[in-house]
Every structure is written in structure tokens, then in C-alpha cells.
């Protein structure tokens, strides 16, 4: 696997435009299976997860290709409703295909996407939602088969505002007969983007962004031309990196309204953030202050996907900070690695107690998952000396060539491609 070698201690500075949102693009790509015409999706980031989704669409018989940040999908050629286990295992977001394939073919065969590094990640809420719409579900081992001659609108109450379950239900209900109401829906901006996309194809969806989403089923959906929102997690990652390196970075084409909770926490830490329309400038000249309590929770609260990155800022702050993770149970994998860079963090179940240190020191660390990996890159940029981040493929799932992104702001990061060690001859 590739490695990133980072020479730390240099303030980031300059202007950057953030790429499109992975978590908006993935369900939207899955939704394109429903279109009878050609779908053009713009501002799609070039990421490993997007590549996997395009491979799955091709495997189903769709024509799907990406050129720069534009993806076109033609689904009228699709013939299969079976997502092979090997592809399901590559990416959890393949579960998004359950709803649309069920709606389009009346049946779908997938496999449990399995647990992952950040927690158990069940799909019971997805399955219960589809069941409420009339699907018959059979699980044998990891294989899941859902069948429904006809999906019928229903009221579905989610016990927890799961992002994926909300999206999957929307994707199935859009072609169901009658009205579906999702009560207790997730409110993330990516769900609003999915609503906009479904409506651009001719769907009748309203309420996204609130906890009640109403979907009036339509008979068919057509093609459309659509632009994905900017990635709020990548935006937040750059903001924290700018602050942690005591830099001065201007981010353009952003949606500051999607990052209210992060802006609030960073300002409490003493970071200057100027917001003007879609432009944010992050400036930090001195050591950040600690923040007494940050709790991750569904949107609009502090996002779990920025918890690891924020922790770098708190690790070098003046004072003691407390961070509680309530969304995923296994999301503190970066803590041990940060300890090896000199951070002073103690864990007690789902709470981290962070005693800020004046400096972090470069060493070799390993990315355990996407956001933990991004956090380690920020740590490397802020640290004294050289940091090597291993297992970079996790980071490539969600950041388009992170070394170039930070390189454009003056960060010193070099990617060392993985070299397979050959047995036998040495040169
Ligand atoms: C999405 C995001 C991910 C983000 C997460 C929370 C995408 C592609 N991924 O993931 O980056 O970290 O939202 O903001 O959009 N749960 C169940 N049963 C279910 C579904 C979820 O118990 O059927 C639990 C999960 O185990 C987890 C919590 O609900 O503890 C949140 O999961 P969910 O909101 O569904 O996250 P994802 O859609 O997987």
C-alpha cells in the first residue's frame, strides 16, 4: 500500500476549492439506476469509492463512466439486480443499491456489507424500511434477497436517524405506489441533495433536511443534469489543517451553513473564521485553546466524520478537552497513533480526554480508516519533523489525492507508491 511522507511544521496558506461530496455522490449514483434517460452528474470527486460504485453499475449492465468530475450513467441497458459479493465487500455504500434495484426489478440480491473498522454498522433499519414498503426479505448467511411485486407507500418510523437507511427508503419509495412518510429521518445535507436529484429526475419528494420526509411515488423517472454539493467533510478537514498548522487558508465554493457546528467549535478554540457567502477564511496565529466538551451526533450536531480531525487541533491546544463519540463505537483508532506522536489522550469508553501538548513529533503511523487517516495527515502537517502515514488506500476512499490538495497550500507531502518486495533477486 502507498505511504505518505510528510515534512511537518509548515503553516498552510493559499486558496483552495473543495471537491464534490462523496457521501452525496454515492447514493445519487445508486439512484441513477432508476432513470429511463441519461443522467449526467457533475462535481463528482475522483475517489476509490466512486470507482467501486461505477464498477458495480457496469456489472449490473449500466453504461457508467467518469471523465474528470463528470459522470454519465445510462441505465436502460441494466439487466441484473444481483450485486456480487466481491463488490459488496469492497464498499459499504453498495447497500444503497438495494432500494433502487428493488424498485426497478422487483427484486434484489445483495450480501451483508459486513462490519468495518469504525463499528458494527448494521443494516437492520434499511431492511425494516424496505419490509414496510412490502418487500419480502430472506437472509441466508450473508446473502440477502428482497422481493416485492409492487412496493406500496407506508409510514416508516426510524428509531435512529440513520443516513443510509433514510436514503435507501427514499430510493425505493420514489417508485412505490402511493405516499411514503419517513418519520425520524436523518437530516444531513447529503439527504437534501438526494431529494434534489430525485426531483430533477421527476420524483415527488419533500421534507429532506427536516425529520419528516414525504415521498409520493411516481410511475417513472427520466434523465437529468445535476451538480453535487461540495464535500463538507473535506472542507472541515482543510479548515482544521489550516488551524493546526497556524496557517491562513481561504476556501472557496463551500457551504458554510453545512459546517455550523465545526465553525462554532473552532471559534471556541480561538481560531479566526471569516465567512462571506460561499467563501471561508481560516486564520490561526497562536496556540489553540482547549474546548471543554464536543459531542458527535447526527446532523446538525458535530459530525462523527470530523471527530478525528478536530482531535488534532485539541491535541496541541492549551488545556484539557473532552470529546464524546455517540454515533460509531469504534471511532477512536487514531488515538493510539497520536499517542506515538506525543499526544496525551486518555480514553474511557466513548469519551476521549485530551490534555493538549505544545507540539507533536513526526513518526510512522498507520491509517485505520478514512477519517482517522485524514486526521493523521493533519497531525503530520502540524508536527515537528517527518511523519510517514501508512495504509493510504483508506484515505483515497474519500480524498482526491490528499497530497496534492495539501501540496497546493504549501504542505510538504510526498506519496511513496507501494513496491511489492520480490523474492529472490535483488538489484
Ligand atoms: C453515513 C456516512 C458516514 C457517516 C455516517 C454518520 C455515507 C456513505 N456514509 O454512513 O460517512 O459517518 O453516515 O454521519 O453517507 N445503524 C443501525 N442500523 C442500521 C443503520 C445504521 O444500527 O440499519 C447505526 C450504525 O451502526 C451507526 C449509526 O446507526 O452506529 C449511524 O449509521 P448511519 O447514519 O446509517 O451511517 P451510514 O449511512 O452508514
Amino acid at each position: 500500500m502507498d505511504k505518505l511522507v510528510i515534512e511537518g511544521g509548515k503553516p498552510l496558506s493559499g486558496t483552495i476549492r473543495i471537491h464534490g461530496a462523496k457521501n452525496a455522490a454515492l447514493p445519487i449514483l445508486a439512484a441513477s439506476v432508476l432513470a429511463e434517460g441519461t443522467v449526467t452528474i457533475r462535481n463528482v470527486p475522483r475517489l476509490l469509492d466512486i470507482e467501486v460504485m461505477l464498477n458495480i453499475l457496469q456489472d449490473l449492465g449500466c453504461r457508467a463512466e467518469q471523465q474528470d468530475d463528470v459522470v454519465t450513467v445510462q441505465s436502460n441497458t441494466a439487466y441484473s439486480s444481483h450485486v456480487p459479493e466481491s463488490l459488496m465487500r469492497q464498499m459499504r455504500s453498495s447497500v444503497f443499491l438495494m432500494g433502487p434495484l428493488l424498485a426497478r426489478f422487483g427484486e434484489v440480491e445483495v450480501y451483508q456489507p459486513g462490519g468495518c473498522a469504525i463499528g458494527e454498522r448494521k443494516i437492520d433499519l434499511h431492511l425494516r424500511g424496505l419490509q414496510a414498503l412490502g418487500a419480502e426479505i430472506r437472509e441466508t448467511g450473508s446473502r440477502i434477497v428482497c422481493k416485492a411485486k409492487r412496493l406500496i407507500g407506508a409510514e416508516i418510523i426510524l428509531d435512529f436517524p440513520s443516513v443510509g437507511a433514510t436514503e435507501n427508503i427514499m430510493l425505493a419509495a420514489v417508485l412505490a405506489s402511493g405516499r411514503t412518510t419517513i418519520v425520524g429521518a436523518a437530516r444531513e445535507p447529503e439527504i437534501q441533495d438526494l431529494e434534489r436529484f430525485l426531483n430533477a429526475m421527476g420524483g415527488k419528494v419533500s421534507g429532506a433536511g427536516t425529520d419528516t420526509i414525504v415521498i409520493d411515488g411516481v410511475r417513472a423517472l427520466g434523465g437529468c443534469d445535476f451538480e453535487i454539493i461540495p464535500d463538507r467533510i473535506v472542507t472541515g478537514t482543510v479548515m482544521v489543517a489550516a488551524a493546526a498548522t497556524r496557517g491562513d487558508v481561504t476556501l472557496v465554493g463551500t457551504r458554510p451553513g453545512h459546517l455550523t457546528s465545526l465553525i462554532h467549535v473552532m471559534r471556541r478554540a480561538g481560531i479566526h473564521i471569516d465567512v462571506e457567502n460561499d467563501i471561508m477564511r481560516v486564520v490561526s496565529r497562536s496556540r489553540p485553546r482547549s474546548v471543554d466538551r464536543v459531542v458527535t451526533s447526527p446532523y446538525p450536531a458535530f459530525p462523527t466524520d470530523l471527530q478525528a480531525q478536530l482531535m488534532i487541533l485539541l491535541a496541541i491546544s492549551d488545556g484539557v478537552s473532552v470529546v464524546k463519540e455517540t454515533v460509531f463505537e469504534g471511532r477512536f483508532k487514531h488515538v493510539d497513533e497520536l499517542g506515538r506522536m506525543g499526544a496525551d489522550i486518555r480514553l474511557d469508553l466513548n469519551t476521549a480526554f485530551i490534555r493538549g501538548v505544545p507540539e507533536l513529533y513526526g513518526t510512522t503511523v498507520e491509517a485505520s480508516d478514512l477519517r482517522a487517516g485524514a486526521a493523521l495527515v493533519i497531525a503530520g502537517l502540524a508536527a515537528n519533523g517527518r511523519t510517514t502515514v501508512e495504509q493510504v488506500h483508506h484515505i483515497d476512499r474519500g480524498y482526491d489525492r490528499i497530497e496534492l490538495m495539501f501540496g497546493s497550500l504549501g504542505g510538504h507531502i510526498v506519496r511513496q507508491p507501494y513496491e511489492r518486495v520480490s523474492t529472490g533477486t535483488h538489484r
Side-chain angles (χ1 to χ4, degrees):
M1 303 295 160
D2 291 1
K3 293 175 185 174
L4 295 175
V5 180
I6 307 166
E7 301 294 342
K10 221 177 156 291
L12 295 181
S13 74
T15 299
I16 188 167
R17 180 173 287 276
I18 300 298
H19 63 64
K22 163 180 92 75
N23 288 354
L26 290 169
I28 283 172
L29 284 169
S32 66
V33 155
L34 296 167
E36 286 179 6
T38 303
V39 165
T40 304
I41 310 167
R42 301 178 192 279
N43 204 24
V44 180
R46 294 195 74 100
L47 304 171
L48 222 48
D49 275 11
I50 299 289
E51 228 173 85
V52 175
M53 182 58 94
L54 294 178
N55 286 343
I56 296 177
L57 290 176
Q58 287 160 359
D59 199 79
L60 297 171
C62 304
R63 290 206 192 107
E65 60 175 49
Q66 176 161 21
Q67 281 211 331
D68 300 323
D69 66 352
V70 181
V71 168
T72 44
V73 183
Q74 253 179 296
S75 298
N76 48 357
T77 48
Y79 52 81
S80 168
S81 59
H82 171 220
V83 184
E85 188 164 15
S86 55
L87 290 171
M88 281 297 292
R89 292 227 168 266
Q90 282 183 35
M91 180 182 63
R92 182 185 158 81
S93 299
S94 45
V95 292
F96 290 137
L97 285 155
M98 288 176 74
L101 288 175
L102 182 64
R104 170 151 179 194
F105 291 105
E107 69 169 69
V108 56
E109 184 180 338
V110 296
Y111 298 83
Q112 281 284 352
C116 95
I118 62 173
E120 195 184 359
R121 305 192 83 171
K122 292 185 288 192
I123 57 165
D124 54 323
L125 299 172
H126 300 238
L127 296 179
R128 265 193 266 152
L130 298 180
Q131 221 160 14
L133 295 174
E136 207 179 279
I137 295 172
R138 210 152 15 100
E139 290 186 68
T140 21
S142 67
R143 183 165 162 263
I144 306 170
V145 180
C146 305
K147 286 189 185 171
K149 278 208 180 78
R150 206 160 145 245
L151 291 170
I152 299 173
E155 181 177 80
I156 298 167
I157 299 173
L158 291 178
D159 303 336
F160 179 86
S162 155
V163 175
T166 303
E167 291 169 336
N168 233 332
I169 296 166
M170 289 165 76
L171 290 167
V174 68
L175 287 186
S177 67
R179 171 169 288 194
T180 298
T181 308
I182 310 174
V183 180
R187 295 186 282 163
E188 271 68 2
E190 292 75 19
I191 291 178
Q192 296 177 50
D193 224 28
L194 181 60
E195 173 184 281
R196 279 200 309 125
F197 181 74
L198 292 173
N199 289 342
M201 290 198 298
K204 286 193 183 154
V205 185
S206 60
T210 74
D211 62 3
T212 306
I213 298 177
V214 178
I215 305 131
D216 285 311
V218 295
R219 282 185 182 280
L221 294 166
C224 69
D225 193 316
F226 188 82
E227 182 164 333
I228 303 274
I229 49 171
D231 195 307
R232 65 193 165 100
I233 306 303
V234 176
T235 308
T237 303
V238 173
M239 290 168 72
V240 172
T245 59
R246 302 204 188 155
D248 180 348
V249 171
T250 301
L251 300 97
V252 296
T254 66
R255 298 284 175 94
H258 293 170
L259 284 151
T260 311
S261 56
L262 176 70
I263 293 171
H264 180 65
V265 171
M266 286 180 70
R267 282 186 175 150
R268 274 165 62 203
I271 312 300
H272 289 283
I273 304 176
D274 286 332
V275 178
E276 205 182 319
N277 302 320
D278 69 349
I279 300 176
M280 283 196 275
R281 182 173 173 205
V282 180
V283 184
S284 173
R285 296 272 177 246
S286 50
R287 191 172 172 197
R289 289 195 295 268
S290 59
V291 177
D292 51 6
R293 197 171 156 80
V294 180
V295 181
T296 68
S297 232
Y299 189 84
F302 194 88
T304 175
D305 282 356
L306 283 172
Q307 177 256 108
Q309 300 88 317
L310 178 75
M311 203 175 281
I312 310 307
L313 196 63
L314 302 179
I316 53 173
S317 71
D318 190 6
V320 176
S321 307
V322 178
V323 173
K324 188 170 174 189
E325 169 63 55
T326 75
V327 182
F328 290 109
E329 63 273 23
R331 253 208 152 156
F332 282 138
K333 299 253 166 63
H334 44 287
V335 167
D336 277 352
E337 302 301 282
L338 289 176
R340 301 197 309 107
M341 295 179 75
D344 182 356
I345 304 172
R346 192 169 57 77
L347 289 182
D348 185 10
L349 299 173
N350 64 346
T351 305
F353 298 87
I354 305 148
R355 187 180 297 279
V357 293
E359 260 182 322
L360 296 175
Y361 295 93
T363 183
T364 297
V365 289
E366 194 176 299
S368 56
D369 60 79
L370 168 55
R371 307 301 172 187
L376 294 175
V377 172
I378 300 175
L381 288 167
N384 215 334
R386 175 178 295 183
T387 300
T388 302
V389 180
E390 297 184 329
Q391 303 292 329
V392 175
H393 62 104
H394 289 298
I395 303 174
D396 293 337
R397 287 186 37 228
Y399 297 83
D400 181 2
R401 293 160 295 175
I402 198 166
E403 68 280 15
L404 299 186
M405 181 176 88
F406 284 128
S408 74
L409 297 172
H412 283 200
I413 308 185
V414 174
R415 181 181 289 254
Q416 280 187 353
Y418 172 66
E419 280 172 40
R420 201 175 286 278
V421 180
S422 62
T423 48
T425 53
H426 293 274
R427 280 187 280 176

